Amino acid sequence: MRKILFCIFLFAASFANAFELKTGDLVFQAGPGSDFERAISAATSGRKNVPFTHVGVAERGSDGIFIWEASPQGGVKRTPLGVFLAEAAVWDGKPAVEVFRLKRRYRALIPAAMARIRALAGRPYDFLFLPDNEAYYCSELVQISFSDGHGAFLFPSAPMSFADKETGRVSPLWVSYFSARGAAVPEGVPGTNPGDMSKSGVLESVHRYF
């Protein structure tokens, strides 16, 4: 265990020197390629076609740099940056992670957003990708936390699609995934995904770790 933690520390340190994450930065990750992540990337696409499958929100504190995320492993939680980077896909020896920052006119919304995220710590992961069920998937956590100050989401919902971009058909993996949970594929249900969120006009890319 000590050896694993040491490796994570070295991995994070090697990519942390040239760039400083700020609280409220959105950190997008291309996953290492599980069936679940492949199904997400097959149905969505990020800015410049980077296949983002996960997103979290950075927080700098006296105890270090962390990423708030909603994960199938643990629900809403605060993950050390080094762990988050180590869990990404590795492209040319580097973590497939990109940092986006709110444009200046939206940054005053960050303190309230962080307060909302902290209040949701420990909530379960939303395996069904449904709104208003007291469980959260990654981009949903970001969405409900960032409000424009007038009650509207900074990242609005859009009809979700689980269809493969190439074939136009819902992947058998998604059919099996939802069937195993006793649910229908929520095709067309309002929601979000990391790829579309990365293309939002309220964000600007400020750093790539790869």
Side-chain angles (χ1 to χ4, degrees), residues 38-140:
R38 280 192 290 270
I40 294 173
S41 62
T44 66
S45 62
R47 192 179 299 201
K48 296 184 179 178
N49 292 318
V50 177
F52 294 125
T53 58
H54 189 51
V55 60
V57 183
E59 181 179 48
R60 297 185 69 92
S62 59
D63 52 346
I65 305 173
F66 295 84
I67 307 298
W68 280 100
E69 59 175 339
S71 166
Q73 296 77 38
V76 179
K77 60 182 182 177
R78 189 170 176 251
T79 300
L81 172 62
V83 174
F84 189 89
L85 293 175
E87 290 174 344
V90 178
W91 294 352
D92 295 327
K94 299 176 182 179
V97 172
E98 186 166 358
V99 181
F100 289 80
R101 187 164 290 160
L102 290 178
K103 291 181 178 177
R104 188 173 301 278
R105 63 183 176 275
Y106 301 107
R107 292 176 192 168
L109 304 175
I110 290 173
M114 299 309 300
R116 294 187 190 101
I117 290 174
R118 295 184 197 106
L120 294 173
R123 293 292 180 89
Y125 185 76
D126 186 359
F127 287 96
L128 298 181
F129 303 102
L130 296 174
D132 305 320
N133 61 355
E134 300 300 316
Y136 302 92
Y137 56 90
C138 66
S139 54
E140 182 184 24

Side-chain angles (χ1 to χ4, degrees), residues 18 21-22 29-30 81 100 105 120 125 137 146-147 160 174:
L21 269 175
K22 294 184 178 181
Q29 179 192 91
L81 172 62
F100 289 80
R105 63 183 176 275
L120 294 173
Y125 185 76
Y137 56 90
F146 284 86
S147 168
M160 290 190 293
W174 283 125

